[in-house]
């Protein structure tokens, strides 16, 4: 599993911090906009530390049972099946809960005893209480940009984590990332990043979302694969950002300035 | 007869020297959104705006016919200044719409070059290729021409050369005080310029902070003065300004203005006044029964169809919100139901193996999954909403439109909602306009009430919030949202000004939160940063920089806030 280490370009001290947190058994919270590399960072760190990684993409129907596990039916009887969190606790793996605020409220109940110094996971259905191995690590992420009154990370939960803020990388770094991910030449990568930064200025005023590094990588991949640049930008950079056709046309005018 | 001949002559002669192509005319208004996005993206400055420029005096030699016709004195112009790009209100110099559009685009690209942080890439190249296309098209129409007829010029009133004019157009030599002469364009000029926020705010003194001059809310009402035709109104304004300078006289005038109207004309009170407490921060205690709040129905409300200018947006929003109606959803772990819930059944078997005998909850059933949410929208109808946000609408018009679109959107979902407005005149007269109760249907009657609610008086926010809290508290829903729509700080005639008002509002909000409500504030006051975070928390409010956008934004915001 840890054979291929996914590429990750460090922006600050996040790698070192993560290593320290891992050594001292501290849970980590990653926050940042969508598509800026949070998931990639965790994959990279898991490979670097040589631990298996269990990633759970949280959604609004994800319950505690989905994390902890449930009974399954077998040959005339039932047996217990560990959920991803339980498996990580038993194996001393890294468990990564992506967009944790999306999950149902009952999940916080199991996260609390795991994220403080008790590091235990009580499994109600089997009556077991697991003590996490020293290598177990809990990592959660969320996007604070979505302003939702009814959902949001409770301060009492947030305070249990060491927090790391992510943002889109600086232009030179981002260009390097795009080039590395897609094998496009540096000039095109720089051009795409400049375009993305032009579009990011529009956030909140004209657009609700910023162009993410992920979208840039998609665009570069299409271009690298021989797709025409303008059409690639439209498909992978402009259309994903807005549904309003007038805004799309306006953004395309901006794109044309960069790819005339 | 003479007049008639003159008109015909004028029409013919001006037409004969008019080189425009009206059928290919492109208006700034249809391009504004596109150009704005291009300008902001390319310049890297999110605050830049597209504005309409005024014509400037032309120094170009005029043809004989132009001299005869008396035209060609002024030309349309485009320039960039610190916070905006000014473009002519229409372009029709080419016979093809495409080229006229491109002319706008080229000017915008050129205009975003100045001070651009992302300029490194392609902007120059792009503007040059636009320019080449345009120039060759122009030359094919006017073989003798060397340059395009329109280019960026230095901003009028500034010495030339503040803007690098990248092309060799002869910049008009001087505009120091090129006041356009024609009456029609003079009028235009007056309308288009930014309203100065200086002395024109005088009028507001009498309305907002009469007894306390410590906090002065500058609200521009300059547009009132623009319309010279309306002599009566001008006279009225003059009157006010004169008396305002004379303290004694002004107070008399003001008193007249602010007296509550005769009961016959006033809004219709509903029931007895409701006593409400108020927080006095100096004494650090709640003064019970300090305020009296009167629920009222606006007078003269008639059932009203949806205003035509809102129909398109309302339709769009309704469709969007209909998609968000509660779905039918499977619920597991039920005592009774349509299907077997395998997961629960297995759990039940396991438990039984372990010797635990429970009531078998092993079915699943399809039920409507409601969102158990109530929202009360409380809108500020104080006098300050009587100020103008644009040439055609006041804050209160925008607020009314917003209320209607909000109601349209929410009635398409099944969330429970209520609409109220408020204003106040001292602690004994907090006016609480009942526009739509939770139990009422949203219909033509409600729209009539929204449109009939008049702005007036002051903003005693605390009392209004406390009553809204009471109403929300009585709601059976799990989640309760209190949305406050305002254009400024809390204030009133008495001590409810500055810190006192803020502290009371803050306390009222804390009480609301303790009762499980989620308060959120939408404001159009650009100084809100100074006080709203303290009242609503860092993430508990939002500022809409463009008040005009409020009607469209409010339903979107609701969707965002409630996770739709």
């Amino acid at each position: 599993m840890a054979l291929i280490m996914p590429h990750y370009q460090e922006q600050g001290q996040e790698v070192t911090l993560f290593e320290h947190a891992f050594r001292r058994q501290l849970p980590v919270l990653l926050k940042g906009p969508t598509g800026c590399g949070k998931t990639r960072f965790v994959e990279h760190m898991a490979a670097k530390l040589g631990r298996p990684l269990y990633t759970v993409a949280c959604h609004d129907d994800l319950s505690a049972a989905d994390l902890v596990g449930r009974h399954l039916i077998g040959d005339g009887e039932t047996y217990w099946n560990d959920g991803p969190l339980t498996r990580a606790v038993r194996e001393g793996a890294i468990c990564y809960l992506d967009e944790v605020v999306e999950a149902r409220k009952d999940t916080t109940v199991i996260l609390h005893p795991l994220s403080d110094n008790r590091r235990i996971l009580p499994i109600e259905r089997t009556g077991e209480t697991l003590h996490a191995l020293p290598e177990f690590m809990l990592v959660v992420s969320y996007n604070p940009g979505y302003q939702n009154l009814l959902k949001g990370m409770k301060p009492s939960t947030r305070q249990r984590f060491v927090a790391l803020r992510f943002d889109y990388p600086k232009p030179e770094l981002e260009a390097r990332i795009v080039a590395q991910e897609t094998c496009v030449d540096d000039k095109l990568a720089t051009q795409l990043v400049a375009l993305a930064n032009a579009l990011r200025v529009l956030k909140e005023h004209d657009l609700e979302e910023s162009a993410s590094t992920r979208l840039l990588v998609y665009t570069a991949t299409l271009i690298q694969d021989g797709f025409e640049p303008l059409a690639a930008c439209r498909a992978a950079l402009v259309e994903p950002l807005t549904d309003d056709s007038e805004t799309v046309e306006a953004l395309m005018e901006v794109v044309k300035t960069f790819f005339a | 007869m003479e007049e008639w001949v003159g008109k015909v002559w004028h029409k013919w002669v001006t037409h004969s020297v008019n080189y425009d192509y009206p059928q290919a005319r492109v208006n700034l208004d249809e391009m504004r959104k596109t150009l704005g996005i291009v300008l902001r993206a390319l310049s890297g400055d999110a605050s830049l705006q597209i504005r309409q420029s005024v014509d400037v005096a032309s120094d170009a030699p005029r043809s004989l016919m132009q001299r005869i016709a008396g035209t060609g004195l002024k030309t349309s112009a485009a320039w960039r200044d610190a916070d905006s790009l000014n473009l002519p209100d229409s372009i029709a110099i080419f016979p093809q719409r495409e080229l006229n559009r491109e002319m706008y685009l080229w000017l915008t690209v050129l205009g975003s070059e100045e001070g651009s942080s992302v300029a490194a890439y392609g902007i120059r190249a792009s503007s040059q290729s636009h320019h080449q296309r345009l120039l060759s098209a122009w030359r094919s129409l006017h073989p003798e021409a060397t340059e395009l007829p329109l280019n960026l010029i230095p901003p009028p009133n500034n010495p030339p050369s503040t803007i690098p004019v990248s092309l060799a157009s002869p910049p008009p030599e001087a505009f120091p005080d090129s006041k356009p002469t024609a009456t029609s364009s003079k009028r235009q000029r007056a309308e288009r310029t930014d309203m100065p926020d200086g002395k024109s705010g005088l009028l507001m003194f009498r309305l907002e902070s009469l007894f306390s001059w410590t906090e002065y809310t500058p609200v521009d009402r300059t547009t009132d003065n623009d319309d010279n035709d309306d002599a009566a109104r001008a006279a009225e304004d003059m009157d006010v300004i004169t008396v305002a300078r004379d303290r004694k006289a002004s107070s008399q005038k003001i008193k007249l203005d602010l007296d509550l109207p005769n009961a016959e004309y006033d809004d219709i009170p509903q029931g007895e006044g409701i006593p409400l407490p108020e927080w006095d921060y100096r004494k650090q205690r709640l003064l019970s029964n300090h305020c009296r709040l009167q629920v009222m129905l606006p007078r003269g409300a008639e059932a009203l169809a949806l205003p035509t200018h809102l129909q398109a947006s309302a339709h769009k929003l309704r469709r969007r919100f209909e998609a968000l109606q509660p779905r039918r959803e499977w619920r597991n772990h039920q005592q009774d139901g349509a299907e077997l819930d395998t997961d629960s059944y297995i759990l039940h078997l396991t438990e039984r193996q372990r010797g635990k005998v429970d009531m078998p909850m092993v079915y699943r059933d399809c039920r409507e999954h409601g969102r158990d949410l109530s929202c009360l929208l409380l809108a500020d109808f104080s006098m300050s909403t009587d100020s103008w946000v644009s040439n055609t609408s006041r804050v209160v018009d925008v607020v009314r439109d917003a209320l209607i679109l909000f109601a349209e959107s929410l009635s398409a979902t099944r969330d429970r909602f209520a609409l109220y407005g408020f204003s106040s005149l001292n602690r004994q007269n907090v006016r609480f306009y009942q526009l739509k109760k939770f139990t009422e249907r949203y219909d033509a009657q409600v729209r009539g009430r929204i449109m009939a609610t008049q702005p007036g008086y002051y903003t005693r926010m605390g009392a209004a919030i406390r009553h809204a809290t009471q109403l929300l508290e009585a709601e059976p829903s799990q989640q309760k949202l209190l949305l406050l729509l305002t254009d400024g700080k809390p204030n009133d005639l008495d001590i409810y000004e500055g810190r006192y008002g803020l502290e009371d509002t803050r306390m009222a909000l804390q009480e609301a939160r303790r009762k499980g409500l989620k308060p959120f504030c939408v404001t159009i006051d650009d100084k809100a940063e100074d006080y709203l975070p303290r009242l609503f928390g860092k993430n508990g409010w939002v500022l809409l920089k463009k008040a005009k956008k409020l009607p469209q934004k409010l339903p979107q915001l609701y969707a965002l806030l409630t996770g739709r």
Side-chain angles (χ1 to χ4, degrees), chain B residues 382-457:
Chain B
S382 63
M383 197 61 190
S384 52
T385 59
D386 201 26
S387 60
W388 296 83
V389 288
S390 69
N391 287 332
T392 48
S393 56
R394 292 169 301 166
V395 175
V396 68
D397 299 321
V398 177
V399 169
R400 286 187 189 132
D401 286 358
L403 286 174
I404 288 184
L405 284 188
F406 185 77
E408 286 286 329
S409 312
L410 263 77
S411 59
T413 70
R414 297 205 202 138
D415 292 345
R416 291 170 61 80
F417 72 102
L419 305 172
Y420 290 91
F422 74 99
S423 62
S424 68
L425 180 59
N426 276 327
R427 63 194 175 96
Q428 292 302 328
N429 283 300
V430 180
R431 301 158 69 91
F432 203 72
Y433 303 104
Q434 177 183 308
L435 306 174
K436 179 194 170 298
K437 291 196 284 192
F438 278 112
T439 46
E440 268 175 316
R441 266 170 55 86
Y442 166 69
D443 55 14
Q445 196 64 47
V446 172
R447 280 193 290 269
R449 277 183 225 149
I450 293 174
M451 295 318 271
T453 309
Q454 296 302 324
Y457 322 112

Side-chain angles (χ1 to χ4, degrees), chain B residues 204-212 217 254-255 257-260 379-385 421-427 429-431 433 455-461 464 486-487 489-494 496-497:
Chain B
M204 282 316 298
F205 276 105
R206 75 187 167 122
L207 299 167
E208 286 288 273
S209 32
L210 182 61
F211 295 103
S212 154
T217 324
I254 289 154
K255 194 154 188 281
D257 265 357
L258 290 177
D259 259 353
L260 284 169
D380 178 354
F381 274 95
S382 63
M383 197 61 190
S384 52
T385 59
F422 74 99
S423 62
S424 68
L425 180 59
N426 276 327
R427 63 194 175 96
N429 283 300
V430 180
R431 301 158 69 91
Y433 303 104
Y457 322 112
Y458 308 92
T459 323
R460 209 173 193 96
M461 246 179 227
T486 179
D487 66 338
K489 277 184 201 181
N491 74 332
D492 205 338
L493 272 180
D494 52 15
Y496 209 84
E497 186 84 58

Side-chain angles (χ1 to χ4, degrees), chain B residues 5-54:
Chain B
V5 170
K7 271 185 187 165
V8 171
W9 160 253
H10 177 76
K11 206 172 160 190
W12 178 80
V13 77
T14 48
H15 188 72
S16 66
V17 292
N18 190 353
Y19 304 120
D20 280 2
Y21 299 91
Q23 78 285 355
R25 185 176 297 278
V26 174
N27 289 312
L28 180 60
D29 281 338
E30 56 189 291
M31 294 286 292
R32 198 183 286 268
K33 187 171 177 186
T34 308
L35 298 179
I37 289 180
V38 172
L39 175 68
R40 287 186 283 274
L42 293 185
S43 63
D45 182 350
S47 63
L48 286 181
Q49 290 189 341
I50 298 282
R51 291 220 178 84
Q52 185 178 337
S53 64
V54 289

Side-chain angles (χ1 to χ4, degrees), chain A residues 70-73 76-78 125-127 147-150 187 190-191 194 198 201-202 205-206 208 244 246-247 250-251 253-254 257-258, chain B residues 33-34 37-38 40-42 44-46 105 121-123 126 343 346-347 350 353-354 373 479 481 518 520 539 546 556 560-563:
Chain A
R70 48 166 50 93
H71 288 283
L72 294 180
I73 211 154
E77 53 172 11
T78 58
R125 288 183 171 191
T126 62
Q147 207 173 25
N148 186 330
L149 278 192
L150 309 179
K187 182 169 167 285
T190 319
Q191 216 168 347
V201 174
L202 302 173
H205 200 282
D206 301 288
E208 280 166 22
D244 179 56
E246 205 183 339
T247 311
L251 295 183
E253 291 300 338
V254 179
T257 339
F258 287 83
Chain B
K33 187 171 177 186
T34 308
I37 289 180
V38 172
R40 287 186 283 274
L42 293 185
D45 182 350
L105 273 172
Y121 264 89
I123 295 188
S126 158
D343 207 32
I346 296 167
L347 185 68
T350 324
Q353 276 169 13
R354 286 165 61 192
L373 172 75
Q479 290 182 308
L481 184 60
K518 314 263 180 186
F520 191 88
N539 294 319
K546 284 189 191 155
Q556 286 177 15
L560 199 70
L561 286 176
T562 61

Side-chain angles (χ1 to χ4, degrees), chain B residues 519-538:
Chain B
F520 191 88
C521 180
V522 181
T523 185
I524 53 169
D525 178 9
D526 48 15
K527 298 199 181 60
E529 181 79 56
D530 298 343
Y531 56 94
L532 277 187
R534 193 166 142 71
L535 300 184
F536 286 87
K538 190 171 170 297

